[in-house]
C-alpha cells in the first residue's frame, strides 16, 4: 500500500505523539484520549493507558466492543482487512506488539489497531473512523498516522503539541489539568513526589490584555494567584545599545524568589512550594503572550525551568 504524501501536523499529548493530516483540524482532548477529524468525516479516536499488569488482548477487544454499544463488532479476521493494512507484529522490542482489526458500532465503522509495549506499560487503541467502505487511500492515510504513533514514557522528556503550542517538559511532571477558553489555554502539570508544579499559558490578543499596563505589571497580576507578589516580574536584560548602556526588553519579563509558608502549613509540617520562578513574553509578531510559572519546595527542583521556557513556543505547522 502506498503511503499518501499529504501535509501533516504534529500532535503530542500526555505521553504519546503522532502526525495527522493537516486537514484534520477538529480535535478533542482528554487526559488519556484524543479525537481528531476532518470535514469529510474521516478521523481518529485514540485512547491509551500505562500499566504493569499482564496484557490480555482478547479481554481488551471485548471491552472495546462493549464500549462501542449494542450490536458493535471488532473483527481481527485478516480476510476483512484491506491489503497491506497494519500487519500484526508480536514482541517487537523497539515498537511493541501490534494487532489490527476492523470495527463497527453505533457511530459508524472503520479500521483500528491495538499497540502494547511491555517495557513502558503503554497500551494504545487507535480507532480510525471512515465515512464509508475502506478505500485504498483512506486505509493508506490511516496506516501513515498509525506508523507515526510514538511513545514518550515518563522516564525521559515528554513533548506536548496542541492548542497552538509546543513544549517539552521533564517526564516526572504529570498532567493535572488543562483548560481552553477563547484567548487562553493553560496546561498544568505536577510532580507528586517532589511537590513541584508547572503551568504553561498561551494568551491573546496581547494588546487587548495589556491595555495600558506594562508586561511586568500584567504578569504580576496574572500569576498573583500562584504566589507572584507585586513587583515579582521585571523586564529581562537585552543586548547593550550602540552606546554600551545596559538595556532591558519590555517584551520579556521574568521573576524568581521565595515565599514563606503560611502558619497552618508550618504547624502541620506540610510541604510548601516556597521557591518560585516565572516568565512571560510576547511572540507571534507580538500578538500572543506565552507564560510559564513553576513552584517547588526547593530551589534545586526548579533547575529545568530555563530549558522548559527555551522549548516552549507557538506551534507553527
Amino acid at each position: 500500500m502506498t503511503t499518501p504524501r499529504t501535509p501533516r501536523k504534529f500532535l503530542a499529548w500526555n505521553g504519546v505523539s503522532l502526525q495527522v493530516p493537516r486537514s484534520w483540524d477538529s480535535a478533542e482532548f482528554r487526559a488519556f484520549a484524543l479525537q481528531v477529524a476532518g470535514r469529510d468525516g474521516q478521523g481518529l479516536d485514540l485512547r491509551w493507558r500505562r500499566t504493569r499488569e499482564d496484557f490480555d488482548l482478547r479481554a481488551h477487544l471485548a471491552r472495546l466492543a462493549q464500549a462501542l454499544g449494542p450490536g458493535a463488532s471488532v473483527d481481527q479476521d485478516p480476510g476483512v482487512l484491506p491489503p497491506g493494512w497494519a500487519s500484526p507484529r508480536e514482541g517487537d522490542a523497539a515498537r511493541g506488539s501490534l494487532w489490527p482489526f476492523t470495527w463497527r458500532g453505533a457511530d459508524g465503522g472503520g479500521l483500528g489497531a491495538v499497540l502494547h509495549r511491555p517495557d513502558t506499560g503503554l497500551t494504545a487503541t487507535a480507532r480510525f473512523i471512515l465515512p464509508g467502505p475502506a478505500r485504498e487511500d483512506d486505509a493508506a492515510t490511516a496506516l501513515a498516522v498509525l506508523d507515526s504513533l510514538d511513545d514518550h514514557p515518563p522516564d525521559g522528556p515528554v513533548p506536548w503539541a496542541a492548542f497552538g503550542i509546543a513544549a517539552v517538559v521533564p517526564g516526572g511532571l504529570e498532567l493535572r489539568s488543562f483548560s481552553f477558553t477563547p484567548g487562553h489555554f493553560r496546561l498544568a502539570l505536577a510532580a507528586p513526589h517532589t511537590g513541584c508544579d508547572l503551568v504553561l499559558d498561551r494568551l491573546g490578543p496581547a494588546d487587548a490584555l495589556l491595555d495600558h499596563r506594562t508586561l511586568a505589571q500584567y504578569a504580576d497580576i496574572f500569576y498573583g494567584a500562584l504566589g507572584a507578589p507585586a513587583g515579582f516580574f521585571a523586564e529581562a536584560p537585552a543586548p547593550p545599545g550602540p552606546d554600551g548602556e545596559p538595556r532591558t526588553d519590555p517584551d520579556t519579563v521574568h521573576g524568581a524568589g521565595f515565599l514563606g509558608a503560611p502558619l497552618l502549613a508550618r504547624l502541620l509540617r506540610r510541604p510548601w512550594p516556597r521557591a518560585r520562578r516565572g516568565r512571560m513574553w510576547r511572540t507571534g509578531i507580538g500578538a500572543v503572550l506565552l507564560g510559564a510559572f513553576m513552584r517547588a519546595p526547593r530551589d534545586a527542583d526548579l533547575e529545568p525551568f530555563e530549558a522548559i521556557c527555551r522549548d516552549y513556543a507557538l506551534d507553527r505547522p
Side-chain angles (χ1 to χ4, degrees), residues 205-296:
D207 288 340
L209 292 171
L210 295 178
D211 196 13
H212 297 295
R213 293 172 295 214
T214 66
L215 182 58
Q217 290 169 337
Y218 178 80
D220 280 348
I221 296 169
F222 185 78
Y223 285 120
L226 296 181
F232 182 81
F233 285 91
E235 294 178 359
D243 55 1
E245 289 295 316
R247 298 191 302 174
T248 58
D249 179 4
D251 290 333
T252 301
V253 298
H254 60 187
F258 299 88
L259 185 68
L263 177 61
L264 183 60
R266 295 198 303 270
L267 291 175
L268 298 178
R269 296 185 179 181
R270 289 177 177 172
W272 176 254
R274 59 186 296 271
R276 317 278 164 115
R277 295 189 69 177
R279 184 169 300 177
M280 185 172 281
W281 63 100
R282 280 181 180 262
T283 189
I285 322 180
V288 177
L289 299 178
L290 294 182
F293 198 89
M294 197 172 186
R295 308 180 299 183

Side-chain angles (χ1 to χ4, degrees), residues 3-246:
T3 301
R5 295 181 177 273
T6 55
R8 300 297 185 86
K9 62 182 174 184
F10 179 71
L11 295 177
W13 190 257
N14 207 13
V16 301
S17 67
L18 67 162
Q19 296 183 39
V20 301
R22 196 172 296 172
S23 60
W24 291 11
D25 56 2
S26 175
E28 178 183 342
F29 294 85
R30 280 173 280 170
F32 292 95
L34 66 85
Q35 293 178 315
V36 58
R39 296 173 185 172
D40 60 357
Q42 188 176 9
L44 166 67
D45 181 299
L46 178 66
R47 301 167 190 241
W48 64 95
R49 63 188 178 97
R50 293 190 188 275
T51 178
R52 293 299 179 182
E53 300 174 357
D54 291 337
F55 179 68
D56 185 333
L57 176 64
R58 182 173 297 180
H60 183 84
L61 293 177
R63 287 193 296 269
L64 173 61
Q66 184 177 24
L68 291 174
S73 64
V74 176
D75 195 344
Q76 287 187 275
D77 183 357
V80 301
L81 292 167
W85 166 254
S87 300
R89 63 171 186 259
E90 297 278 352
D92 187 307
R95 296 183 297 161
S97 299
L98 184 140
W99 300 276
F101 60 84
T102 61
W103 67 274
R104 181 150 295 279
D107 58 346
L111 303 169
V114 176
L115 172 68
H116 177 62
R117 286 192 58 178
D119 58 335
T120 66
L122 177 73
T123 299
T125 304
R127 187 166 58 91
F128 293 93
I129 297 96
L130 302 180
R135 301 174 303 178
E136 183 175 354
D137 57 342
D138 290 339
T141 296
L143 181 59
V145 173
L146 182 63
D147 284 344
S148 74
L149 182 62
D150 205 357
D151 178 19
H152 305 279
D155 57 356
V158 176
W160 294 79
F163 296 100
I165 61 95
V168 180
V169 303
L173 289 168
E174 302 175 357
L175 177 66
R176 282 294 175 263
S177 65
F178 64 95
S179 60
F180 179 74
T181 56
H184 183 203
F185 169 67
R186 167 168 283 187
L187 183 66
L189 306 110
H193 300 299
T194 65
C196 177
D197 61 63
L198 167 73
V199 296
L200 298 174
D201 292 287
R202 190 203 76 194
L203 300 140
D207 288 340
L209 292 171
L210 295 178
D211 196 13
H212 297 295
R213 293 172 295 214
T214 66
L215 182 58
Q217 290 169 337
Y218 178 80
D220 280 348
I221 296 169
F222 185 78
Y223 285 120
L226 296 181
F232 182 81
F233 285 91
E235 294 178 359
D243 55 1
E245 289 295 316

